[in-house]
Amino acid sequence: MTREDAAKLSPADLRKAMADGLWLDTTVGLGLGYLHTNVAILPEKYAFDFLLYCVRNPKPCPVIHVSEPGDPIINTVSAGSDIRDDISRYCVFEKGELVATPTSLRDYWRPDAVTFLLGCSVTFEQALINNGVPMRHHAQGSTPGVYITDIPCAPAGQFAGPVVASVRAIPGHLVSRAVEVTSRYPWGHGSPLHIGDPSLIGVDLSKPDYGDVPVFEEGDVPVFWGCGVTPQLALSEAKPEYMFSHYPAHMYVADVTSDNVPR
Amino acid sequence: MTREDAAKLSPADLRKAMADGLWLDTTVGLGLGYLHTNVAILPEKYAFDFLLYCVRNPKPCPVIHVSEPGDPIINTVSAGSDIRDDISRYCVFEKGELVATPTSLRDYWRPDAVTFLLGCSVTFEQALINNGVPMRHHAQGSTPGVYITDIPCAPAGQFAGPVVASVRAIPGHLVSRAVEVTSRYPWGHGSPLHIGDPSLIGVDLSKPDYGDVPVFEEGDVPVFWGCGVTPQLALSEAKPEYMFSHYPAHMYVADVTSDNVPR
């Protein structure tokens, strides 16, 4: 299936194509307008502390869905969707080490597995585009610079670590608009966590920890949003016996639109 | 101390007066502009399910603070405040039964007690007044009608039950404004959960489950918000070994203003 064909599928059909092994690539440009999420699946005994960590750090870790232990069905945002099949590629970690990148979790599932769906940047990027704020990195064919800041997360139990932020170059006269628009999407990282001088949050724009070096045009301001890498770092430090996540850029795509997330 | 004098105190001084036994009455009209919260304190083993229940039902149960087990200090919204002293009167429940209404929790505290601060209607009522939406029940010297609706909460573990809503009579031309204003305060029950025909949510306005029968003026529309009685009902059904709460209308008053709640 070409990406052009995949982009025409409804979220339910796209997830079925993933489950059937017909689409195993990234979700970039797919399920346009629908909610994409980060995914973290971990043992029940870590679930309270991780949920508390997310609640205490809502910009990087916006909670959209938390399952009952062992229940792989995501009914809140997609009727009958099975998280074990409905992502194109997964990461499997054991004690913080990546041990496999399967296209299904059927062989790895555990009876005490609690699934967390957390908001992702696809939501706010699309909202910004819809509201006239350009995404420079789209035009440049690059990915946003992602930085480990010197802002600490509010810890909870064994979950702690720095806030990770992604940057976008926003034309100065549209920065206010960008705040207005993204503040309407708390489930999509919400409003920016920093605007302006990157050094104030311990960031050197020329040295991203992930992604590409951002390119600024005349009059652009660096604007930073919370990033889904934040909980991934905290999880890799906490080293649970097992943890499953989506593979980078292979997001969970829900039936609800980015605007219509149950709250 | 007269209520007029108490109303002049800063939140920190008001809490000290409560801790010292100098103010043991309700918080109605006190700490104006500051964050007031509902309080639920329960054993650690219930904490994940209760937090999940709150996250799944954010309108009636907006989470503001969750403590570490056994830690009575509320630093997030009030520096150094001790939840065992800083409320004027408490309810102590054992297996869902009210067994005491002390003015301190010092004699009841447990090493596994997890404190939840949940948003309350003081926040959105003040925001409505500040934005020109009258609160009819203030002028009438009554309390809002509170109703057990036929809307079910999203359950989590042993926590379940109906959504409880409070009603206010809002002039028709201000209903849209009321939604705009309160949607800015998700930590204060957020936007209304129902507007108009009460029978559609199983409510007979003439028969409140708590509070007073609302009085409508010509052109008023009934507008319903999530209510902090919702988690109290769920907790009383779950019957944990122990549970502490604020005594009705004796709220926790924080140092932060209603506008400046950490998120």
Side-chain angles (χ1 to χ4, degrees):
Chain A
M1 194 184 313
T2 65
R3 188 169 297 273
E4 196 175 21
D5 288 336
K8 292 173 189 160
L9 298 178
S10 71
D13 287 342
L14 176 61
R15 293 195 308 267
K16 184 165 191 314
M18 292 171 174
D20 293 344
L22 302 175
W23 183 262
L24 299 176
D25 206 341
T26 75
T27 48
V28 174
L30 308 186
L32 201 68
Y34 292 96
L35 179 72
H36 292 216
T37 81
N38 290 288
V39 180
I41 303 172
L42 60 164
E44 181 180 8
K45 71 173 181 178
Y46 295 89
F48 173 64
D49 283 338
F50 187 66
L51 178 57
L52 187 50
Y53 163 84
C54 292
V55 167
R56 287 179 177 169
N57 299 282
K59 286 196 172 185
C61 314
V63 177
I64 287 172
H65 169 91
V66 185
S67 77
E68 306 304 318
D71 183 0
I73 306 302
I74 310 292
N75 271 324
T76 51
V77 291
S78 311
S81 170
D82 192 316
I83 197 67
R84 297 171 297 182
D85 303 317
D86 285 2
I87 293 179
S88 52
R89 191 172 292 279
Y90 302 82
C91 291
V92 174
F93 298 87
E94 290 178 2
K95 296 187 192 302
E97 295 294 315
L98 181 67
V99 297
T101 58
T103 59
S104 163
L105 284 180
R106 289 270 166 184
D107 292 342
Y108 298 90
W109 193 252
R110 310 284 188 102
D112 67 344
V114 177
T115 300
F116 290 77
L117 301 185
L118 305 178
C120 98
S121 62
V122 169
T123 297
F124 78 77
E125 285 198 349
Q126 194 57 47
L128 287 169
I129 292 165
N130 291 348
N131 284 275
V133 180
M135 291 288 94
R136 299 284 193 222
H137 65 284
H138 289 188
Q140 293 156 0
S142 62
T143 59
V146 171
Y147 303 87
I148 299 172
T149 74
D150 63 9
I151 306 168
C153 283
Q158 60 275 76
F159 297 104
V163 172
V164 181
S166 62
V167 74
R168 281 151 192 85
I170 307 288
H173 70 287
L174 291 174
V175 172
S176 177
R177 185 77 182 134
V179 175
E180 286 178 346
V181 168
T182 56
S183 68
R184 288 185 220 140
Y185 296 89
W187 54 85
H189 296 306
S191 59
L193 54 83
H194 186 71
I195 296 171
D197 187 351
S199 72
L200 296 178
I201 57 170
V203 165
D204 176 348
L205 286 177
S206 71
K207 293 175 182 164
D209 294 290
Y210 314 90
D212 296 315
V213 175
V215 178
F216 286 71
E217 300 186 15
E218 179 81 24
D220 284 355
V221 174
V223 179
F224 295 87
W225 278 269
C227 175
V229 174
T230 310
Q232 291 173 14
L233 273 193
L235 281 160
S236 70
E237 287 298 313
K239 298 184 177 30
E241 294 85 309
Y242 70 87
M243 200 274 284
F244 313 136
S245 72
H246 64 287
Y247 191 85
H250 295 59
M251 314 309 286
Y252 179 75
V253 182
D255 284 350
V256 299
T257 65
S258 277
D259 284 299
N260 190 28
V261 174
R263 297 296 280 181
Chain B
M1 194 184 312
T2 66
R3 187 170 298 273
E4 195 176 20
D5 289 337
K8 292 174 188 158
L9 297 178
S10 70
D13 287 342
L14 176 61
R15 294 195 308 270
K16 183 163 192 314
M18 293 171 172
D20 293 345
L22 302 175
W23 184 261
L24 300 177
D25 206 342
T26 75
T27 47
V28 175
L30 309 185
L32 200 68
Y34 292 95
L35 179 72
H36 292 217
T37 80
N38 290 288
V39 180
I41 303 172
L42 60 164
E44 180 180 9
K45 73 174 180 176
Y46 296 89
F48 173 63
D49 283 338
F50 187 67
L51 178 57
L52 187 51
Y53 164 84
C54 292
V55 166
R56 287 179 176 169
N57 299 283
K59 286 196 173 185
C61 315
V63 177
I64 288 173
H65 169 91
V66 185
S67 77
E68 306 304 317
D71 183 1
I73 307 301
I74 310 292
N75 271 324
T76 51
V77 291
S78 311
S81 170
D82 192 315
I83 196 68
R84 297 172 298 182
D85 304 317
D86 284 2
I87 293 179
S88 51
R89 191 172 292 279
Y90 302 82
C91 291
V92 174
F93 298 86
E94 290 179 1
K95 295 187 193 303
E97 295 295 315
L98 181 66
V99 297
T101 58
T103 60
S104 162
L105 284 180
R106 290 271 167 184
D107 292 343
Y108 299 89
W109 194 251
R110 309 284 188 103
D112 67 344
V114 177
T115 299
F116 290 76
L117 300 185
L118 305 178
C120 99
S121 62
V122 169
T123 297
F124 78 77
E125 285 198 349
Q126 194 57 48
L128 288 169
I129 293 166
N130 292 347
N131 285 275
V133 180
M135 290 288 94
R136 299 283 193 222
H137 66 284
H138 289 189
Q140 294 156 359
S142 63
T143 59
V146 171
Y147 302 87
I148 298 172
T149 74
D150 63 9
I151 306 168
C153 285
Q158 61 274 76
F159 297 104
V163 171
V164 181
S166 62
V167 75
R168 279 148 193 88
I170 306 287
H173 71 287
L174 291 174
V175 172
S176 177
R177 185 78 182 132
V179 175
E180 286 178 346
V181 168
T182 56
S183 68
R184 288 183 219 141
Y185 297 88
W187 54 86
H189 297 306
S191 58
L193 55 82
H194 186 71
I195 296 172
D197 187 350
S199 71
L200 296 177
I201 57 170
V203 165
D204 176 348
L205 285 178
S206 70
K207 293 174 182 163
D209 294 290
Y210 314 90
D212 296 315
V213 176
V215 179
F216 286 72
E217 299 187 16
E218 178 80 24
D220 284 354
V221 175
V223 179
F224 296 87
W225 277 268
C227 175
V229 175
T230 310
Q232 291 172 15
L233 272 194
L235 281 161
S236 70
E237 287 298 313
K239 298 184 177 30
E241 295 85 308
Y242 70 88
M243 199 274 285
F244 313 135
S245 73
H246 63 288
Y247 191 84
H250 295 58
M251 314 309 286
Y252 179 76
V253 182
D255 284 349
V256 300
T257 66
S258 277
D259 284 298
N260 189 28
V261 173
R263 298 296 279 180

